[in-house]
Structures are given as structure tokens and as C-alpha cells.
Amino acid sequence: MHNLSDDLRRAFISLLKSPAFTITSVLILALGIGANAAIFSLVDRVLLRSLPFPASERLVVLWGHNTLRGGLTEPLSAPDFLDWQREAGTLEGMAAVESDGLNLTGGAEPESLPAGRVSWNFFRVIGVHPALGRDFTPEEDRVEGPRAVILSDELWKRRFGGDPGILGRTIPLNGVDTLVVGIMPPRFSFDHYMARASIFLPISFSHKQLDGRGNHFFSAVARLKPGATPAQCEAELRGIADRLAKEHPNTNANYTARVVPLREELVRNSKGTLLVLGGAVAFVLLIACANLMNLMLARSARRQRELAIRAALGASPAGLVWSALCESLVLGFLGGLAGLALGRWILAGLLRVLGSEAAAIGPMHLDARAVAFTFILSMGSAVAFGLIPALKAEGRHLADSLKEGKGSSNASHPRLRGLLVATETALATALLIGAGLMLRSLMHLQAVDPGYRPDHVLTSRITLPPYKYGDEAARLAFMDELRRRLEATPGVVAVGLNDTSPLSGSTSTSSYDVGDQQSADGQVALSHHITPGYFRAMGIPILQGRDLAPGEAGVLINRTFALRHFAHSNPLAGRVSLDGQNDPYLPVVGVVGDVRHHGPAAGIMAEMYFPVTARRAGGESLNFFTVVLRTGPEPRTMVPALRGILRDLDPDLPLAGTRTMEELLSRERQGAQIRSILVGSFAALALLLSGVGIYAVISFLTGMRTREIGVRMALGAQVRDVVRLVVGQGLRMALWGVAAGVAISLALGRAVDSQITGVRSWDPVTFTLVAAVLALVGILACLLPALRAARVDPLVALRSE
Amino acid sequence: MSPRSIIRLEAIKKVFTTDEVETHALSDIHLEIAEGEFISIAGPSGCGKSTLLSILGLLDTPTEGGYTLNGKPVAGLSLSERARIRNHEIGFIFQSFNLIGDLTVYENVELPLVYRGLPLGERRTRVMEALEEVGMSHRAKHLPSQLSGGQQQRVAVARAVGGRPSILLADEPTGNLDSTNGDAVMDLLKDLHRRGSTICMVTHDARFAQHADRTVHLFDGRVVEESLAKA
């Protein structure tokens, strides 16, 4: 083998002599490499890197699972948790996790803090300990134990100026002085279970919770013993669950366990999107490589005579291949460098598009792993696009090539080029179809009727701390006064309260009884507790009957509920109870429209609207609710008035999650929007690259056919005949590609299915439109070379031999 | 009654200008070719034979002078009209055959008829007739690369006659062939002439030029002699 650095230097000098070719190649490669480097950084951070916990592969999440309710996982109850914790031999430790919200008072403004409630051993189980202070003791995890809190680094620095002296002092949380025992390290998060928690408190099961085997309300994280597998753990927990089902058939029948590795659980939501994006940029790189292979083929065809002279002077075939490959490697290296620069820019753009999703991932840049990945990818690409042209360059007939001016039809490799064009068109078609489906999905989400009028609606969450609002009368009095004052505020059109308003993140699903067999069989429905005026405030139509009157003990049901139970009777003659035994039957006073509670992509469920005075499922007290205001002016302008009224009523109560309904809806569509933007951008890039590819190939092939075109014109071909000939050649290649792309899209349908809503993965409209767009791009890309060919002077062409 | 004139050139002049240098390729050419005539244009290399043939074939335009084809002047015609006339009135036979490599023999012969817009059935009849005429019908499905040089030139002749043009223009039709194949192609042209084709052949080979009824000798772009074949 030659001296490598010498060969690469010669290749570099040779490329410098063809600046247009070199710059074009580097740019094309940089586009493909840059997009891959950026997406790799995301994939690496989210899917590949180990979690920031020691021996994280042994961390698992434990769920309950009711075998009668399909594949859904369910939270755990305190008694089951304790039984599992005590009996599971495959577990080294097991901790409970629940998200909560608390009010921090004592400052100029009360602040509603997202909180994580965890069992005392949680930090030991995950293997992360406070950076300052200590974690919880078992005593602090008892309901009557001392009150302790651990602060996040962010809250400690923001609210307490990073003062280590805060340790050992108390802060008022929900009005209760709570001892600060620790500060977590910077960037610690366990977001999937405790969304951006600022504080961590012991979960401290109440006596009621410890007795309520049917009260499922929290998740559990566990660490497997070394050597134990999630499957072994699940088998063991299922054994325990089976025994508990026999011992407690009322609460535990059909209830079993499911064990999921923590990584799998954490990436569940983003994995599909990232894999689709990874596939998209891989397609872009393949298209770039196909383009580069075409350029290399053209370059070697033009240098056919030079290579033949080298061979005649004694260059070995392997030497010729190697020198051609060296050029590819140098191009790959330069493309990799440019790709890294472009990748940084693309990553910054991606993070901007991802917005809050990116904030959850944390600060990101192209690190050493991304650089290494880019280098490997660049060199791999260089071999991919360089090897075949190098071998083809070597394999030409020496004597033919040495004849001055002899154009060899072999040098143009029309079949190989056609295959490359078809390949890149196929990849671009598949990407465009994916992007088209996501766009159609987004359009569907924007067109879906959420069941309410989101314009001019402001929502804000209020939590009533038990130390002040422990009894129901105080809570109801507060709600009534709040509602009354808001109704009297200029600019407020209607006011309503709801403990589980749409898109608030709160849901309450209950079994119920309407006195028929179907409801007795364990049917469930969403249950809300509202005040009169809620439907007017939200813009939910009352289809039949009327709204609740103040203080009235009645219930409204939605259309789906009415159809389920009162399809053949008058719903207004019906009655609903939460369980038919401990709960009174309330008369149905109205039927309202269906609401997509969980967002436009979610399905419609049966719903029941009880007054705030009615008992909640499980007997839980109503200590948090959402205020819904329909406003005359822009809803955001009403925030100060709302805050002022709340301050007047109770200066210790903060507003939390203040959003307009339009903002909440837009956030729900954000995922689909991001997917559409990202895949659409990569598809546009793919379309551009494949258009350039078709143009380059057709230009080259048409150039090689100049003489043939001259002959055709001498025989009487008109301009239209020549244009038809050239465009037809390009279009044939493109259409083969489109057909292959359609086949790829159909094959990848399942992967796309998880990313779209309201549109089928084989949506004929999208497929047809994309095929038409690709055909149009193919025609446009061929048109310029075709018109150029049509201007060929037949005499000149015939003399070109 | 004297035969109809197919081509009439009057005072044709062709000047190539490059970098302010004028090259007079043709000067004061007068030429008339009658229907059914076999004329050869002879002369040494660079005397203007091919330029003259290009002008005759409407592949090039004269700088000055008049050109009448089938009684109609062709000066000032659009590119499209010139293409149409080439297709209908002129059959080309090139020195290097100029068959299209990825079309079969049949498709090559069919090509001018496709451009003429003839229906499929008529094209098929004419192509097979032309191939029969040159003795190549048995090779209709072959590609040019599968034929010898002589066979390729026969196919080129079939392509030229398939459109039943007013005149066949042959540019050194034997130039790329060995003597045996050259003689065979020459026999073919003579045979076509016997059956009524009008042929204008450019050649620098006196041996082939003598087969024509009349030979026009060019030298430095001028007609220096016209000779009739010996009876």
C-alpha cells in the first residue's frame, strides 16, 4: 500500500483543482452528515446514554395491571406496595413516588411548587443523594412524623440565593413549617413521575391510605438485586398479587403486577418520534450519498483518459482504485467537518423547535460522542459513495479510453445512475409521505372539535391547603365567594370551577350506578365536580335539560354517557350514583356535549358532572380545582384581576398553571406540530437533494447523448421530441423510485402509525399528492437539461465524435 | 420531358468566421440534382465536401446563395420547419453509421417514421420493407453492437430509405468499412439508385465516386470539374 498521508495529500490537491466539484460534494455531504449529527445527539441523550443513576440497568418501575382492562398499567395502593416490598426477594429496594403541588408562602408572593412525594428510601433506591444535607429518615415518612423537605438545586438558588444556611431551617409549605434537610444536586430530575419537582417530601401514607387496598394512586420504583431480571421480578410479584387477589377479592381480583425497566418507561413517549427522526435523517444521508456517487461517477468518466494514461504508464489497478477512494475519503473528511458545523446549527434549531420538550432534556451540544459518530459516519459515507465509482473507473477498457475524444458509452453507467436516481427518489418519496401523513394528522388535530369553545377562556389552578381548609364548609365557602367575586368582575362573562377540567392534567375515573345491569358490571366514566356556570364558561353546549342551580344536588351527563344508558329512555328521568350503596342517587338535570378531556388526539369518554358539594370517588376531599373564566377581553388581561381577588380572599394562596384554553390546546398539538416541522424539514431537504440528483444525472447523461440527439435531430426530431426523450428518461427513473418509495412507506406503516392521529398510514390522498409532487420535481429537474439538449446543433453534435 | 429537379443550388457561399479570421469553406457553388440521379461529390480532405452535404441536408445554412429543394426555397425556414423537411425529404447515411446504441435495429429504422407521426401499422410495414430491401430483416431485434460494421451501415441505409425521402445524402458511407463491406454497401446504393432513388454521395475515394452518374469535383471550396460516368 502506498504511503497513506502522501496519497491523501495528492487526493486533496487533485480536489483543489476542481473547486466546483469539491464544494458541491462537501455541501451535499455536510447536509446529510449535519442532520445526522444533530439527531444523533438527541437520540444519544435520550435513548442511548445510561441514565444518570448508578447501575441504572437494575432500576425498574412497578405497575399494577387489571387484566380485565386491556393492556393499561395502573398505579399501586399503599397496602399492596407494602406487601410487595416486604415479600419480593428479587428486589434490593422499592420506593413509592407521587407527584403533588404545594404552596410555598412567607415571601412577597406565594408560590405554587411542583412537588415529588417519595418514600423515605427513594433516593437510596435510585442511588442519588442530596448534594448538601441528607435524605429522609423512616420517621419522617410516617404521617405523624416530623415534617421534612429536600429542595431542588434550582429552587434553592432562585428562592434562597443558594444559601447553605437554609439547611436545618424551616419553610412554610401549605402553611406548615417544614424542615429543610437536603439540597439535591444540580439538574437532578425524575421528571417522568414528578414533573419538574422543586421540592421532595416524604409520601407519608395516611391511615386511610394504608387501609385502602382499592385506592391506587402512586407509582413505584425499585432496584433489582444483582443478577435478577425484570421478568423474574414480574413473575415473583405476580405470584404475590395472585395471593393478594385470593385474600382480598373485593379489591384485588384480576389485579396483577407489571415490571418495566426504568429506561424503557422513560423513553416510551419519545422513542417513536426519535426513531422516526433518526430514520428520516438516515434517508437524507443515503440520498446525499447517492448524489455523491453520481458526482464521483461523472468525475471519473471525465477523467477516463487521464486514468487510462496512468494505467498505460504502469499504475496498478489497485493503485487506481485506491487513489480514487482517497479522494472520497478526503471529501468525507471535509464533509464531516462541514457537517459538524452545520450539525451544531441544526441542533440549535431543533432545540428551538422542541421548546419545552428540549428543556426537559437539559442543555445539549455536539459532544465528543457526537464528533466520533460524525467521523465514523463521514468515513463510512465516503466508502459508500466512493468505492463503486473507484472500481468502475479502474474497470474501463484501456484502449478505448486512450483514443482521443472517443466517448465511451460505458463511462456513463446509465443503469447504475438510473438505479441511484430511483433509490434517492424512493427515499425522498417515503420521507415526503411520512411528512405528509404527519401534516395531515396535524390538520386533523386542528380541525377536531374539542367539545368546548377555547377562545376567550382563562384557566388557573388553586390548591386549598388542608391546615386552613380542612373542613368541607370552609372549602365550599371559599369556592362560592371566589365564584361570586369573579362573576362581579368587569370583563368576566362567565365563571365555573371544576376539579378536573380538560387538559389540566387531572382526571378522575369512577365506577357508577344508574340502576341498570351495565353500570353494575363495573363500567367507568370520568367524574367532575363543578359549580354552576362551568358549561357557559367553557362553552360546552347543554344539549338537553339545564345547568345545575346553586346548591342543587343533581348531575349532568355527556352525550356518550346518555347514549350508553339512556338510548331508549329520557335521560332527564334518569339518576346517577357513584356506587349505589354509600352514595345517593342524584337526578340527571341535563345532557351536555362530549368533550375531549385528554386532548384532541384522545378519544371521547362517558362523563358525569356532579356539584362540588357531592362526595368524590374514594371519599377524597376536594382541595384543588381549576377556575375557568370566559372573558370579554383577551383572557390573559384578566390574570391581574384574578390574582387580586385571590389575594383579597387569602394572601397565602398562589395561582398555578395559569393558561388560556387556546394555549393548552396548542400545547397538546405541539408534539404533532414538532413532528410535522422536523420530518417536513428533512423531507424538503430530501426532495431538494433528489431533485438536484435527478438534474445532475440527466444533465450528465444528456451530455453523453449529445451525438445521439444530433442524429435524432438530423433524422427530423423536433424540439418537443428531444424534450420528451430527455424528460421521459428522467421521469422513468423517478417513477420507479416513486413506486419503490410507496412500497417502503407501506412497509413502514406501523412505525408511522404511532406518530399520527386521524389519518391512516396508507392515506391515498397523501400517497397520490406525494407521487404527483415527485413526478413534478422529476419533470422540472429534467426540463433544463432537456431544453439544453433541444438547442443542440445537429451538425456540431454529429461532428462531436 | 427532362427529369424534375430535386435540388438547385445557386451561388452558394459558406464562410466560417472565428476570431476575426474568415475561412471560405464554399464559394460560388452552382449545383442541380435531378430526380433519380446518382451524384457523387469528390475531392481531397478539407475541400468543403461535408460542408456542402450539410447545407444540402439542411443541417447548416449557407452564408449566401439560393437553395431550392423540390422547387421550394429553404432559406429562412424555422428550425422546426427544417426538421420537418429533413424528416420527410432527406435520408441521411453517415460515415460512422450513427445508429442509436440502445435501440434495436427495428427501432432505429422506425425512428424517423415515429418523428413523422405515422401510425404503428404503417411504420411496421415500412420498416420491414426497408429492412428487406437491405437484407437485414432477420436482424430486426438485434442491437447495433451485435452487428458488423457492414451490417450496421446496411441498417443505416434502411433507416434512410424507410421514410421514402426525395434524396439520400451519404457522407463517406464506406469510410469506416473494409473493402469487402465497402463494396457491398456501394452495391446496395447502386441497387437503390437503379430502383429510382436519388442519391448524393460525398467521397474522397475515386474508386467509389465512379459509380455515380455524375461526379462533382471540389477543391478549396469551389467546383473545379464535373464529370459524367462513362456509359
Side-chain angles (χ1 to χ4, degrees):
Chain A
M1 188 57 69
H2 304 73
N3 180 310
L4 178 64
S5 64
D6 221 34
D7 290 337
L8 292 175
R9 188 178 56 81
R10 265 202 297 273
F12 183 67
I13 291 169
S14 164
L15 287 171
L16 283 182
K17 288 176 186 163
S18 314
F21 166 81
T22 307
I23 290 170
T24 308
S25 303
V26 168
L27 277 179
I28 289 174
L29 192 57
L31 284 171
I33 296 278
N36 274 273
I39 293 296
F40 170 80
S41 294
L42 275 176
V43 171
D44 184 42
R45 172 63 72 91
V46 179
L47 299 184
L48 302 180
R49 264 177 214 259
S50 59
L51 298 172
F53 311 116
S56 61
E57 70 285 352
R58 289 199 281 129
L59 289 176
V60 291
V61 179
L62 311 182
W63 289 105
H65 168 51
N66 189 323
T67 53
L68 293 184
R69 290 185 194 160
L72 293 176
T73 51
E74 293 184 5
L76 306 181
S77 70
D80 286 350
F81 169 81
L82 294 174
D83 284 339
W84 290 9
Q85 192 179 45
R86 193 170 46 249
E87 295 179 31
T90 52
L91 294 177
E92 196 172 270
M94 178 173 161
V97 186
E98 185 199 11
S99 66
D100 197 0
L102 280 90
N103 300 338
L104 173 63
T105 51
E109 277 284 330
E111 185 178 355
S112 174
L113 297 176
R117 287 203 178 267
V118 295
S119 48
W120 68 273
N121 62 341
F122 169 74
F123 296 107
R124 292 169 202 200
V125 168
I126 64 168
V128 178
H129 302 285
L132 289 176
R134 59 169 176 84
D135 57 11
F136 300 121
T137 62
E139 289 70 35
E140 287 164 345
D141 197 12
R142 285 188 289 112
V143 72
E144 65 278 8
R147 301 298 176 101
V149 64
I150 294 173
L151 308 181
S152 73
D153 180 76
E154 184 275 332
L155 180 73
W156 176 53
K157 285 177 178 155
R158 178 172 58 78
R159 189 78 190 229
F160 304 104
D163 175 16
I166 191 73
L167 286 172
R169 297 212 311 253
T170 60
I171 57 172
L173 290 171
N174 273 5
V176 178
D177 287 335
T178 309
L179 184 70
V180 178
V181 298
I183 314 288
M184 289 309 289
R187 289 191 294 280
F188 169 78
S189 73
F190 208 72
D191 270 346
H192 197 63
Y193 299 93
M194 300 174 286
R196 286 165 218 171
S198 296
I199 51 174
F200 302 90
L201 300 109
I203 196 163
S204 310
F205 295 133
S206 65
H207 296 298
K208 197 169 165 186
Q209 287 166 337
L210 287 169
D211 287 339
R213 209 171 269 280
N215 185 8
H216 302 149
F217 67 98
F218 63 93
S219 314
V221 181
R223 181 175 287 277
L224 297 170
K225 279 183 178 165
T229 65
Q232 287 169 341
C233 177
E234 185 167 287
E236 182 185 36
L237 291 180
R238 286 187 170 198
I240 299 169
D242 286 348
R243 182 180 57 72
L244 292 173
K246 283 178 192 138
E247 289 172 10
H248 310 282
N250 287 341
T251 54
N252 286 45
N254 307 311
Y255 191 80
T256 184
R258 183 166 284 178
V259 176
V260 185
L262 180 62
R263 161 178 292 288
E264 203 177 306
E265 187 73 22
L266 291 178
V267 303
R268 192 173 49 189
N269 291 336
S270 48
K271 191 175 179 180
T273 302
L274 284 175
L275 290 180
V276 165
L277 284 178
V281 290
F283 278 20
V284 170
L285 182 62
L286 285 173
I287 293 170
C289 283
N291 268 338
L292 286 170
M293 198 186 282
N294 265 323
L295 285 174
M296 295 300 284
L297 282 169
R299 180 171 166 80
S300 65
R302 282 193 203 100
R303 295 174 65 200
Q304 187 182 354
R305 190 172 153 74
E306 176 205 324
L307 294 172
I309 291 171
R310 285 172 188 265
L313 293 177
S316 69
L320 286 176
V321 171
W322 173 242
S323 72
L325 199 55
C326 277
E327 288 195 357
S328 305
L329 292 174
V330 171
L331 280 178
F333 181 73
L334 295 175
L337 282 183
L340 269 180
L342 195 62
R344 284 184 59 172
W345 186 75
I346 293 174
L347 183 61
L350 272 175
L351 295 177
R352 202 166 301 130
V353 171
L354 287 170
S356 58
E357 307 248 336
I361 301 169
M364 278 190 61
H365 57 278
L366 294 184
D367 57 11
R369 282 164 68 97
V371 171
F373 169 80
T374 306
F375 179 75
I376 293 167
L377 197 64
S378 307
M379 292 300 110
S381 303
V383 173
F385 68 71
L387 191 60
I388 291 176
L391 291 171
K392 293 277 180 191
E394 188 279 319
R396 280 174 199 145
H397 196 267
L398 196 57
D400 272 356
S401 303
L402 280 171
K403 284 179 191 164
E404 180 71 56
K406 179 87 176 174
S408 164
S409 60
N410 290 336
S412 63
H413 303 296
R415 282 197 185 156
L416 178 58
R417 286 167 182 280
L419 185 67
L420 289 173
V421 165
T423 304
E424 58 189 279
T425 312
L427 295 170
T429 302
L431 255 183
L432 266 187
I433 286 176
L437 289 172
M438 285 172 195
L439 189 66
R440 295 255 299 155
S441 170
L442 179 64
M443 287 161 67
H444 165 80
L445 289 181
Q446 276 164 343
V448 160
D449 178 8
Y452 49 85
R453 282 199 299 115
D455 61 295
H456 290 85
V457 176
L458 183 72
T459 66
S460 193
R461 206 154 179 75
I462 295 174
T463 303
L464 301 176
Y467 80 99
K468 260 190 186 176
Y469 300 91
D471 70 282
E472 190 181 355
R475 289 194 296 273
L476 293 176
F478 176 86
M479 286 186 244
D480 197 46
E481 183 60 14
L482 176 67
R483 189 174 63 85
R484 201 180 54 73
R485 290 206 192 186
L486 285 169
E487 275 174 350
T489 305
V492 172
V493 176
V495 181
L497 311 183
N498 183 350
D499 61 341
T500 53
S501 64
L503 308 181
S504 64
S506 293
T507 308
S508 175
T509 309
S510 313
S511 54
Y512 58 87
D513 191 344
V514 295
D516 64 4
Q517 188 55 44
Q518 202 183 356
S519 60
D521 282 347
Q523 288 270 12
V524 292
L526 291 179
S527 73
H528 307 272
H529 288 73
I530 59 161
T531 59
Y534 169 74
F535 298 109
R536 186 161 171 243
M538 276 298 287
I540 299 171
I542 297 178
L543 306 174
Q544 207 176 341
R546 56 173 173 79
D547 193 0
L548 289 165
E552 182 181 13
V555 62
L556 285 99
I557 56 176
N558 73 341
R559 189 171 168 273
T560 298
F561 191 106
L563 286 174
R564 186 188 283 176
H565 297 289
F566 305 108
H568 306 295
S569 60
N570 180 8
L572 299 182
R575 55 195 192 127
V576 181
S577 161
L578 276 182
D579 64 9
Q581 288 175 355
N582 302 319
D583 226 49
Y585 281 96
L586 299 180
V588 176
V589 301
V591 177
V592 297
D594 290 333
V595 168
R596 291 182 190 273
H597 185 83
H598 297 289
I604 288 168
M605 294 180 72
E607 292 181 273
M608 309 172 285
Y609 295 89
F610 296 98
V612 287
T613 50
R615 195 180 73 91
R616 296 179 81 213
E620 295 287 325
S621 55
L622 199 162
N623 54 10
F624 59 85
F625 55 86
T626 301
V627 183
V628 179
L629 297 183
R630 177 160 294 277
T631 64
E634 275 303 303
R636 276 275 172 198
T637 62
M638 299 303 295
V639 175
L642 174 62
R643 192 169 280 138
I645 288 170
L646 189 63
R647 198 182 296 120
D648 283 352
L649 281 172
D650 185 339
D652 285 343
L653 290 185
L655 286 175
T658 305
R659 300 268 190 284
T660 68
M661 274 319 287
E662 282 178 332
E663 287 167 355
L664 287 171
L665 260 180
S666 152
R667 195 179 63 180
E668 282 301 310
R669 294 180 188 126
Q670 197 181 24
Q673 216 159 0
I674 288 171
R675 283 192 292 275
S676 297
I677 291 172
L678 293 182
V679 179
S681 306
F682 293 130
L685 188 57
L687 189 63
L688 176 73
L689 284 177
S690 60
V692 168
I694 296 171
Y695 168 78
V697 167
I698 294 302
S699 287
F700 181 82
L701 290 181
T702 307
M704 298 296 277
R705 293 174 79 183
T706 301
R707 184 176 172 76
E708 177 198 325
I709 290 166
V711 171
R712 286 173 181 267
M713 293 179 85
L715 296 176
Q718 298 278 2
V719 169
R720 63 172 180 274
D721 297 313
V722 176
V723 170
R724 199 181 298 141
L725 175 78
V726 175
V727 172
Q729 184 186 28
L731 199 57
R732 254 194 315 278
M733 296 177 189
L735 289 180
W736 275 113
V738 170
V742 165
I744 292 172
S745 297
L746 289 172
L748 293 179
R750 282 189 65 181
V752 178
D753 254 337
S754 62
Q755 306 294 308
I756 55 177
T757 310
V759 58
R760 292 163 298 190
S761 61
W762 48 273
D763 175 46
V765 175
T766 307
F767 276 61
T768 309
L769 278 176
V770 168
V773 166
L774 259 302
L776 188 65
V777 167
I779 290 170
L780 290 176
C782 296
L783 215 50
L784 197 60
L787 292 173
R788 208 183 297 137
R791 283 202 301 270
V792 162
D793 182 341
L795 188 61
V796 176
L798 288 169
R799 279 184 190 148
S800 76
E801 188 178 8
Chain B
M1 199 171 89
S2 60
R4 186 169 67 93
S5 169
I6 299 283
I7 282 174
R8 180 191 294 273
L9 298 183
E10 288 175 39
I12 288 293
K13 185 175 171 185
K14 180 68 182 178
V15 180
F16 293 108
T17 306
T18 46
D19 296 334
E20 298 175 5
V21 177
E22 285 192 347
T23 307
H24 290 255
L26 295 173
S27 301
D28 197 29
I29 302 288
H30 292 263
L31 178 67
E32 187 161 354
I33 303 173
E35 188 174 18
E37 196 176 7
F38 185 173
I39 178 171
S40 73
I41 299 171
S45 183
C47 70
K49 304 184 298 287
S50 292
T51 304
L52 180 58
L53 199 74
S54 297
I55 289 172
L56 290 176
L58 299 188
L59 294 173
D60 204 353
T61 51
T63 311
E64 285 176 22
Y67 176 13
T68 310
L69 180 64
N70 276 330
K72 291 176 191 161
V74 294
L77 291 179
S78 67
L79 286 175
S80 164
E81 191 58 23
R82 291 163 75 85
R84 197 194 67 76
I85 292 175
R86 278 200 300 271
N87 182 253
H88 283 74
E89 310 288 350
I90 298 166
F92 281 104
I93 301 165
F94 301 99
Q95 178 181 354
S96 51
F97 330 134
N98 278 334
L99 298 178
I100 292 170
D102 43 7
L103 298 185
T104 62
V105 163
Y106 180 95
E107 288 164 339
N108 266 287
V109 178
E110 187 190 28
L111 199 57
L113 309 179
V114 172
Y115 292 140
R116 197 180 288 188
L118 292 184
L120 183 69
E122 190 175 347
R123 290 206 305 263
R124 188 180 298 129
T125 309
R126 287 215 197 177
V127 170
M128 290 319 292
E129 276 175 10
L131 285 174
E132 298 271 351
E133 211 166 345
V134 300
M136 289 297 293
S137 55
H138 63 296
R139 298 287 192 137
K141 289 180 181 168
H142 286 68
L143 288 170
S145 56
Q146 296 168 309
L147 306 178
S148 70
Q151 287 173 320
Q152 287 191 48
Q153 193 60 302
R154 294 170 85 87
V155 174
V157 171
R159 182 175 66 184
V161 300
R164 295 174 192 160
S166 303
I167 185 166
L168 292 176
L169 298 180
D171 187 2
E172 304 273 13
T174 57
N176 276 10
L177 302 174
D178 57 42
S179 59
T180 312
N181 277 310
D183 287 342
V185 168
M186 210 54 234
D187 289 343
L188 181 61
L189 290 179
K190 282 186 338 197
D191 191 40
L192 288 171
H193 170 54
R194 263 197 302 277
R195 283 185 272 153
S197 292
T198 308
I199 300 173
C200 175
M201 176 179 74
V202 160
T203 181
H204 67 276
D205 191 329
R207 196 164 58 88
F208 291 124
Q210 69 184 3
H211 292 293
D213 300 332
R214 178 161 59 110
T215 302
V216 174
H217 295 272
L218 286 186
F219 189 78
D220 281 349
R222 292 175 182 278
V223 176
V224 292
E225 185 190 344
E226 278 198 46
S227 56
L228 296 174
K230 291 165 190 164

